[in-house]
Amino acid sequence: MHHANHFYGHAQVLARYCDLGELDAPPRMLGYLQHGWNIGDGLAPGTPYVEGAPIFVWSEQTRRRAWSLGRRNVTVVGAPWIYLLALEPEAPDAPPREGTVWYPFHGWEGQEVKGDHRRLIATIKDVEEGPVTVCLYWAEFQTRRIRRLYERAGFRVICHGYRGHWWRQTNPDFLLGQLTELRKHKRVASNRVSSALFYGLAAGCESAVYGDPMVLHAEDPTFGGVARIRRQWPELHGTHVDHAVARAIADDELGTAYLTSPASLRRLFGWEHLHTPAGAGR
Amino acid sequence: MSPSTTTVPQNLRLIGGEMLVWTDDEPAADRRPASGPALQEVLRDLVRPGGRALVAGPHEQALIGLLADAPMQVTCLVRAYPDAEALARRLPGVTVLCGSVAKLDPSDTYDLVVACDGLDRLPSVEGAALSWAETADLVAAAVRPGGTLLLAQENLLGVHRLVRMSPWYGERTDADWTPLGDYDATRPASPGELVSSLAGRGLTVAEPMAGFPTAHEPSVLAPLDRLADPHLAGFVRIAVSAAYGAQLAGRPVLSDPRALAGSALRAGSAAEFAPVWLVAATRAGALIPRQRVVVADAATVPHPVRYEVVRAEHGWSRHVLGDTALRSRDGVYRDPAALAGPLPRGRLLEEQLIELCLRRDLPELARVLTRYAAWLAEGAGEDGTVGGVSLWASPGDLLLDGDGFTPWDPTWSTTVRAPLDVALARSLRTFAVRLITGGYSHPWPMLVDADSLVVILAGMAGHTLERPVLAAAVDLEARLRAAAHGLDEAGRERLRDRLAAVTPGTPPLDLDSHRELHAANDRLREELAHAVSRVAWAEELLESREKALRHAEDKLDILSGSFSFRLGKLLIYPLRKAKGLAKRLLRR
């Protein structure tokens, strides 16, 4: 099983949904799970791929794209996020939502974001009316200089944690923490379309995409990058967008309609042997 | 083996050109006479009690007997002596002529000429080779004014030919001494050409019929013009598919004829791809036979039924023909009377599911499967078991009309009962087997067996199936199918084993279809390639993890050898001793 399946505690969320009980470690999965919103074939660029291994993607559109790129064993299961939402329905007496959670775009550790955080902060202040929570990527959060910039602007600065690497330091509650944060806010915004934006939409936030997209150094141009995303999903871009349209796009991209039953997922992931049917001496 | 005056039956006449060492009835060599209850039904409309009939070419005895019983004065013409002798002995009231059609007495004419085997087997190896047109001249001349010719013409582009292992121009059997096929320019290559070539011989055709699934035993006969009606055409498509499954079972074919025939009929190309065209051609003054669709199970079906589909006030209606007695075997029964009434509407559930799989429309697939599971549950008794038509019908038997399900052939049913989840698993499994062995592209290509696919499909329908249910589903399917096909205990066990072992590399279980076999081989290769690269990847990973482990062990060694570690151990030693001592004391 590829270590990326564990990123953000994805494997743990799915194991919980599949009713596998208490486990010492997240179970091995027969294949690759898409670990972030993706405009390619569902695998992160450069993922070493075992020929013929199953790929579990979030959306039907990604599956079609993957097929056109030569991938065959691709199955749509939807994002782990939709399983988390199924496990954690919003409390009916949840406190009223307030303000905006803002995700400045980041790359991963190997990439370096260029761009002007100050200019971005000014734009956010211009647009957002309520309180703003800025969620930084862990590398930026740990960079005091960047963190201070946002704090001084009067924003609440948070970080969802480390996604993990090579099965280590994975925060199994990464997504749960993110969901809790998102549900506190009325809006989710970012300078780029990203997983977090769709997560926010699915968690009931209105969305916005604006500000400097902070293009990465050496961004892989294979799939068209920021310009292509703008062309394909113009409806998501703007300080205030049509919520119904944005929500429908999020549902498509997260594969909300593809929520699979626990028994089916256990078959797909090769987890059947880990499951003890209810009443069978658990 | 030369016939002498003492051995030749009284009612058999040798007319010249006879083939003494030959037979046109040798199923092992794929030579069969024209046969089947569907042809009998068409012929039944054309009999003229008291009239004269000529049956030209090899025909099964039931067809000839039907004319003789009318009663008609029957003459048969066959070229092979053993065939002629057998006929003459079994039907003493019939005159049998043995020889070439060229030797037929031109002054002899008939009220009814039956050539359901076509014209190819009327000339003989002896004497001059005749073209299609020359043979047609002779046969047409035998129809007297006011008479009728019932002629079947094999279509060389027919589905049965397209899926044959060898092309007509490459046939090497004993029967193919001159395989001229469509290089005989006089041979009609379409129903239109057939009609006009008969018109040129003074014969009028009201409406040609298309016959499926084979030329020698069509079991679905439909008037071509009526197939423009989508309701009827949709139904004929299902009946044709079932007929191919029944008649070509186990026979080697290039590709699944059901898919090909389905596409042909969907495209409105029944005329172009039907294995046989059947025409009733009349000479001025003759009765025009009524137009109807005739469906009659092949002789190989253990409980055959036959029926016609005719225009009714609102749409189409089915009438049972022949025997209406209920027949049962090992808990599976067939009641022909259940057919009577309006032709059901809707699309085959199996087709709908296949389309949704091809589209990868999983949400809609889940909706349809949930609806199906609910329908099955509605049919369950108080004890939670399902029986009757609900249990018998799998997605290939059910029509989906709106949100309701109707079996397209309601004659089949069963007295067997099974728990709801077993019934659902068995039904979904028949579909899973079709999807896998038919080589259909579907949303879960990585699943290794039919059972896994059933678990997924059942999950979409809102049911969780456990392992024992899956095994029970295979037993149930083997039991029902064995009863329907008349298999013995050993045959049922074999079927059970084959059903249980369906994996992506399995070719179709019912047809020996080589294209699907090739596809199954490709799937096996993919599986193997995946297994090989998975092993390589696991090796690589193992190596890197071993390295990480060695690194950790080295670190541990260094730490345990350090001064601070030893000092710590020394300090802790008396404490550990004391702890052990305290434990022992407490235990006392």
Side-chain angles (χ1 to χ4, degrees), chain B residues 105-301:
Chain B
D105 180 354
S107 65
D108 248 352
T109 56
Y110 300 85
D111 299 297
L112 176 62
V113 176
V114 178
C116 289
D117 185 57
L119 304 184
D120 296 343
R121 295 201 280 184
L122 292 177
S124 139
V125 280
E126 313 299 336
L130 300 178
S131 69
W132 188 90
E134 287 163 331
T135 311
D137 284 341
L138 297 167
V139 171
V143 183
R144 64 171 53 153
T148 303
L149 165 68
L150 182 65
L151 172 66
Q153 171 75 30
E154 184 183 5
N155 175 14
L156 294 177
L157 193 60
V159 169
H160 70 308
R161 283 278 179 179
L162 294 178
V163 301
R164 231 175 128 93
M165 296 302 285
S166 58
W168 56 262
Y169 48 82
E171 297 281 14
R172 293 285 185 277
T173 75
D174 289 351
D176 300 295
W177 50 80
T178 318
L180 201 54
D182 65 14
Y183 286 115
D184 176 353
T186 69
R187 184 191 171 97
S190 69
E193 280 183 35
L194 179 62
V195 170
S196 59
S197 90
L198 289 171
R201 292 171 173 86
L203 293 161
T204 312
V205 175
E207 192 178 2
M209 297 178 100
F212 291 90
T214 57
H216 75 273
E217 191 187 349
S219 58
V220 180
L221 285 166
L224 278 170
D225 294 357
R226 310 294 155 110
L227 289 176
D229 182 301
H231 180 199
L232 184 69
F235 176 78
V236 166
R237 208 149 54 84
I238 296 169
V240 164
S241 172
Y244 269 113
Q247 243 186 76
L248 295 189
R251 304 251 295 270
V253 285
L254 274 179
S255 71
D256 190 338
R258 290 170 294 204
L260 208 53
S263 299
L265 285 160
R266 196 178 291 116
S269 302
E272 287 79 359
F273 296 103
V276 68
W277 305 304
L278 187 70
V279 291
T282 53
R283 195 165 317 273
L287 279 171
I288 293 166
R290 61 206 174 96
Q291 294 298 325
R292 56 188 178 147
V293 173
V294 176
V295 181
D297 287 322
T300 47
V301 174

Side-chain angles (χ1 to χ4, degrees), chain A residues 1 30 50-54 56 60 63 67 72-76 166-167 257-258 261 263-264 267-268 272 277, chain B residues 359-360 362-363 441 443-447 449 451-452 455-456 459 464 466-467 470 529-530 533-534 537 541 545:
Chain A
M1 145 148 161
L30 291 179
V50 176
E51 186 60 36
F56 302 106
E60 169 57 17
R63 185 202 66 80
W67 182 284
R72 286 298 174 267
N73 266 342
V74 188
T75 291
V76 185
W166 286 103
W167 303 281
Y258 289 78
S261 76
S264 304
R267 272 277 165 169
L268 290 171
E272 283 218 307
Chain B
R359 280 186 188 282
R360 305 295 198 272
L362 303 190
S441 176
W444 310 277
M446 80 288 280
L447 292 175
D449 56 15
D451 282 346
S452 296
V455 169
I456 306 279
T464 302
E466 304 295 346
R467 205 165 281 277
L470 295 170
H530 171 51
S533 45
R534 217 174 128 189
W537 179 77
L541 196 67
R545 299 320 290 161

